[in-house]
Amino acid sequence: MPDTTPDAGRTAGGTRIARAQTEGDRAAVFRFRYGLYVDGMKKRIAAADHARRMLEEPLDATGRIYTAEAGGEICGTLRVNHAAEFTQAHPLPQGLVDMHALGPFLETWPEALTFTSRLMVALTRRGSAMLHRLIGRAYADALADGRAFDFCYAPPYLVEMYLQLGYRLYTKSKTDPSVGYLVPLVLPLRDWDHLADVNSPLLRVATRAGATEGPRDDAVVWFHEHYGPALESFDGRYDADRAWAQLSHAMHALSDNSPGVFSGFTGDEVQRVLRSNAVLRCPAGDRVVQRGDSRDEMFVVLSGRVVVRLEADGPPITELGPGQVFGEMSMLNRAPRSAYVDVVEDCEILTYTRQALDRLMKVEPELAARLLLNLANILGTRLTSTNDHLRGTGDSA
């Protein structure tokens, strides 16, 4: 079948989206991954080949690897594995089955599933259209191949982006000891109503390909029949009015010794600060932050409670509830996480990314300054509390 996707065989804005077809093309991708993840982001990845400076993984054996190129250099890449293309030598990993709770999907749609991973763009291209063009190309190919569902998992700071594309939260999040808290998502490829509801750019890709014509897709009907309650339970879209109601109630309950991140803000100001952010629903027992993680989002507790530990199995050093935040230090200075955070009472947690803060500083500098002042007060209070805790355990200098 000829490649008729919008980006096939041509460039836009000096960038070309293509498939890595040759061994040389794929090796260039593996070197790009290594440079971005290991050199640039200082990630410790078991599959990294430091001698050859490559990051190649088992899923690459059957994966379709897409690249974004500008000036002859790779500046973005994406991998998609099709369930129908796994082999006896390279089977569908049990880890993917467990991560995405695939049982019902494999039973009903075994040939119609795809798995997106290793989406990355060069730091100089963050915020450009490149990421959406990579995803759009892979999405158009999956439509043309008759696939029905695409699965991915994301750290909390990327969940909002995937929700805006049309992915859905449908099952529990998982904690991977090597990479931290991961959120599974699924995209029903032909759920036109939902794609329109979130104004997904993928709907335009499907419309250009003529895929939106005809009756409602059987896979979409099946998905809503089987996962309707789960979609309501895990719905991560930001509801500004509800979030403010929760935060307003929480801020009135905070004591003078427990400053809130939005102390002194009006409801309208809070909504302007937060705008669209993902809300995670986390059951008791989830570990949402792992010490050593390299992430740059903070979290605002909307309901429920979490505890902070300095050691994985150590005693809690503090408990946080509605209106309080955690992860703010890593968001501000992009340093690895310094503690563990566990959910002890079912929570709704709103994510707030460094990208959102940078955007706020450009468009609402006065609000950003007040937000940063509140975060400074919170950090000062916590530093005092931590010092008191260390003195109490005899660990202070």
Side-chain angles (χ1 to χ4, degrees):
M1 177 181 292
D3 193 341
T4 59
T5 58
D7 290 308
R10 65 185 183 87
T11 61
T15 303
R16 179 175 181 268
I17 307 297
R19 285 270 301 277
Q21 301 283 10
T22 69
E23 287 303 313
D25 291 340
R26 295 167 74 87
V29 170
F30 303 150
R31 287 192 292 270
F32 172 77
R33 286 183 191 163
Y34 186 96
L36 188 62
Y37 269 28
V38 180
D39 288 341
M41 302 174 68
K42 310 300 181 186
K43 288 182 177 290
R44 295 186 294 271
I45 301 176
D49 184 335
H50 301 296
R52 296 192 302 157
R53 298 181 60 78
M54 288 186 175
L55 177 53
E56 181 179 3
E57 300 167 305
L59 282 175
D60 292 316
T62 57
R64 302 184 186 186
I65 298 176
Y66 296 85
T67 62
E69 300 177 7
E73 298 289 333
I74 294 175
C75 44
T77 184
L78 167 69
R79 179 178 63 207
V80 180
N81 290 87
H82 291 237
E85 296 172 358
F86 285 108
T87 65
Q88 186 172 359
H90 300 284
L92 173 65
Q94 186 62 41
L96 283 181
V97 176
D98 296 339
M99 169 64 72
H100 296 292
L102 289 180
F105 293 95
L106 288 172
E107 182 179 339
T108 311
W109 307 97
E111 302 291 303
L113 313 181
T114 62
F115 305 89
T116 291
S117 56
R118 287 302 181 214
L119 171 62
M120 59 185 76
V121 298
L123 296 177
T124 56
R125 299 284 180 149
R126 298 285 170 87
S128 72
M130 182 180 297
L131 183 145
H132 283 176
R133 292 185 61 225
L134 275 167
I135 295 174
R137 168 66 191 273
Y139 172 73
D141 285 356
L143 286 176
D145 289 338
R147 309 309 186 208
F149 300 99
D150 182 64
F151 297 86
C152 72
Y153 51 82
Y157 74 94
L158 287 178
V159 170
E160 177 196 355
M161 180 198 76
Y162 282 106
L163 293 178
Q164 290 175 346
L165 288 169
Y167 283 79
R168 311 296 297 268
L169 300 173
Y170 70 103
T171 191
K172 293 181 180 179
S173 299
K174 312 289 193 301
T175 299
D176 184 307
S178 62
V179 295
Y181 199 63
L182 296 173
V183 183
L185 300 108
V186 62
L187 173 69
L189 270 63
R190 296 173 179 79
D191 193 348
W192 314 130
D193 289 342
H194 181 68
L195 294 182
D197 185 43
V198 299
N199 194 29
S200 169
L202 298 181
L203 183 59
R204 294 188 289 276
V205 174
T207 301
R208 287 197 299 266
T212 58
E213 301 172 1
R216 195 181 191 202
D217 184 65
D218 289 343
V220 174
V221 174
W222 174 89
F223 178 69
H224 284 276
E225 287 177 351
H226 285 75
Y227 287 90
L231 295 178
E232 293 184 11
S233 174
F234 289 101
D235 184 10
R237 286 180 292 177
Y238 174 66
D239 183 328
D241 291 335
R242 185 167 185 268
W244 169 241
Q246 291 173 300
L247 287 171
S248 178
H249 177 75
M251 287 190 298
H252 282 99
L254 293 175
S255 69
D256 292 338
N257 294 324
S258 181
V261 67
F262 296 114
S263 295
F265 283 70
T266 67
D268 175 70
E269 288 171 338
V270 170
Q271 293 184 21
R272 283 154 53 196
V273 169
L274 297 178
R275 297 192 184 275
S276 59
N277 290 274
V279 175
L280 303 179
R281 290 173 171 80
C282 308
D286 273 12
R287 171 158 285 170
V288 293
V289 168
Q290 187 163 270
R291 194 176 70 185
D293 285 352
S294 295
R295 302 277 174 82
D296 64 356
E297 79 272 70
M298 73 172 181
F299 304 88
V300 183
V301 181
L302 299 178
S303 66
R305 307 197 75 79
V306 303
V307 295
V308 180
R309 308 178 196 272
L310 295 179
E311 301 296 335
D313 299 318
I317 62 170
T318 191
E319 182 175 288
L320 304 173
Q324 295 179 297
V325 301
F326 58 93
E328 68 283 351
M329 182 64 80
S330 292
M331 183 193 71
L332 292 172
N333 64 12
R334 293 189 167 96
R337 303 292 193 192
S338 60
Y340 300 87
V341 180
D342 297 329
V343 178
V344 293
E345 179 186 307
D346 292 357
C347 276
E348 289 182 288
I349 301 173
L350 186 141
T351 63
Y352 193 77
T353 67
R354 176 57 185 259
Q355 185 178 14
L357 176 61
D358 291 343
R359 185 167 58 243
L360 184 70
M361 292 173 68
K362 291 179 181 178
V363 300
E364 299 263 22
E366 189 269 337
L367 288 182
R370 290 164 55 196
L371 178 67
L372 290 170
L373 178 60
N374 283 347
L375 288 174
N377 288 333
I378 290 170
L379 288 170
T381 300
R382 290 192 179 160
L383 178 60
T384 300
S385 177
T386 300
N387 286 339
D388 290 345
H389 172 80
L390 293 175
R391 291 190 189 97
T393 59
D395 292 337
S396 59

